[in-house]
Amino acid sequence: MSPADADAYPSPRYAVFGQPVSHSLSPAIHAAFGRALSIPLRYEAIEAAPADFADALAAFAAGGGRGGNVTLPLKELAVPLCASLGDSARRAGAVNTLVRRGDGWHGENTDGRGLVRDLTDRAGLDLRARRTLLIGAGGAARGVAPALLDAGIGDLYIVNRTGGRADALADALGQPGRVHPRYLDDAGKLGEFDLVINATSAGRGSGLPILPRSVLAHRAVAVDLNYGEVAVRFLSWARAAGAHDVVDGLGMLVEQAAEGFALWHGVRPDTDEVYRQLRSRNALLVTAD
């Protein structure tokens, strides 16, 4: 980077990449973390279509980018763009956090740790031995599945409209007998689940999966990895179907951001105040906390 470029970017640059991405709360979250810890940074949202992601990431690095977050639909596409991968990203086959190391990107995935921390520490849920239904097999599902297994859930059923993607995720997780890929249309035949997680982005359109009430066990927890209006449809269904607890993805968003911030800056910020402020402005649909 030339001296002129360095003068143009006096604070280290960070960004979230996605499509769409203008709605993202990540810039506000990381700005709050930086203020709390007196760490200067510049964090922006960069819209990137899948076909343009590699070029957008290269331009960001050339302009002084030191770290990034990756959201839908780019998490799996980020994997081959990384020179190295952490264990979480390698197991997931998806990247949500980028760290600049030398001339290349190191990829991590903090989604799963963020989700587990939100559900256990903030919502006070015991995940152990919960029979779990994971809806979707894309980048979001890949990010959380390994951490859920590590947290001690029981059998994990992955349902997806495209059976091949569910099979591929199950194969990547490598726990036959505990992980079961199925077609989405078969969800109603699989019995009751203690934990039902929507890892699709269907709430953004009209394609939200319709599940029978029978998938929810007594005192079941329903989780949508989305937050805000995108989570309304699924969690409204879960409430009407009798879920004991419903949780949106806002807490997970904050916790995974804190994990990424620690990778960039060597210190993990406290999340409670940032979560409280965001929750006061996004106060829908959470009853587990």
Side-chain angles (χ1 to χ4, degrees):
M1 184 169 60
S2 70
D5 290 332
D7 290 340
Y9 303 109
S11 296
R13 292 183 72 199
Y14 300 87
V16 56
F17 294 84
Q19 188 186 48
V21 77
S22 61
H23 68 285
S24 176
L25 296 177
S26 292
I29 292 170
H30 283 280
F33 289 161
R35 287 193 300 270
L37 294 170
S38 299
I39 295 176
L41 58 89
R42 174 187 175 189
Y43 191 107
E44 59 200 290
I46 298 177
E47 185 93 7
D52 302 326
F53 179 41
D55 289 341
L57 187 59
F60 175 67
R66 303 306 306 159
N69 293 123
V70 184
T71 187
L72 297 174
L74 307 175
K75 294 183 178 184
E76 292 172 83
L77 295 177
V79 172
L81 301 180
C82 294
S84 60
L85 295 172
D87 181 66
S88 59
R90 186 165 43 251
R91 291 176 67 194
V95 166
N96 83 322
T97 303
L98 296 163
V99 184
R100 193 69 177 169
R101 292 184 178 175
D103 294 330
W105 291 107
H106 175 74
E108 294 280 359
N109 198 305
T110 64
D111 280 339
R113 296 197 298 275
L115 176 63
V116 169
R117 185 159 185 152
D118 182 54
L119 294 180
T120 57
D121 293 2
R122 179 170 288 113
L125 300 172
D126 186 351
L127 300 181
R128 291 173 297 178
R130 286 185 181 264
R131 194 169 188 261
T132 300
L133 179 66
L134 181 62
I135 307 165
R142 285 178 167 274
V144 301
L148 289 168
L149 292 169
D150 291 347
I153 63 168
D155 281 7
L156 173 65
Y157 284 77
I158 304 165
V159 295
N160 195 64
R161 295 190 192 278
T162 305
R165 286 180 66 82
D167 290 338
L169 176 52
D171 289 344
L173 293 171
Q175 298 195 35
R178 186 183 179 196
V179 179
H180 314 277
R182 297 288 189 273
Y183 284 103
L184 178 62
D185 290 344
D186 294 332
K189 306 172 185 177
L190 301 177
E192 296 182 337
F193 293 91
D194 307 299
L195 178 63
V196 178
I197 300 174
N198 178 34
T200 75
S201 59
R204 299 182 188 276
S206 59
L208 186 73
I210 303 300
L211 300 175
R213 296 187 178 202
S214 61
V215 302
L216 294 176
H218 178 62
R219 300 185 67 81
V221 177
V223 179
D224 197 317
L225 302 189
N226 301 290
Y227 59 89
E229 292 184 3
V230 182
V232 169
R233 290 185 182 182
F234 176 77
L235 294 184
S236 293
W237 165 83
R239 278 181 164 171
H244 186 270
D245 297 302
V246 296
V247 183
D248 71 3
L250 185 63
M252 169 186 162
L253 177 71
V254 174
E255 296 301 331
Q256 66 81 24
E259 295 286 337
F261 192 96
L263 290 171
W264 298 333
H265 305 291
V267 57
R268 192 184 195 281
D270 180 76
T271 57
D272 289 343
E273 179 59 22
V274 173
Y275 175 79
R276 185 191 65 77
Q277 292 178 9
L278 292 176
R279 179 56 67 198
S280 69
R281 302 197 295 268
N282 298 268
L284 34 142
L285 295 170
V286 175
T287 60
D289 60 348

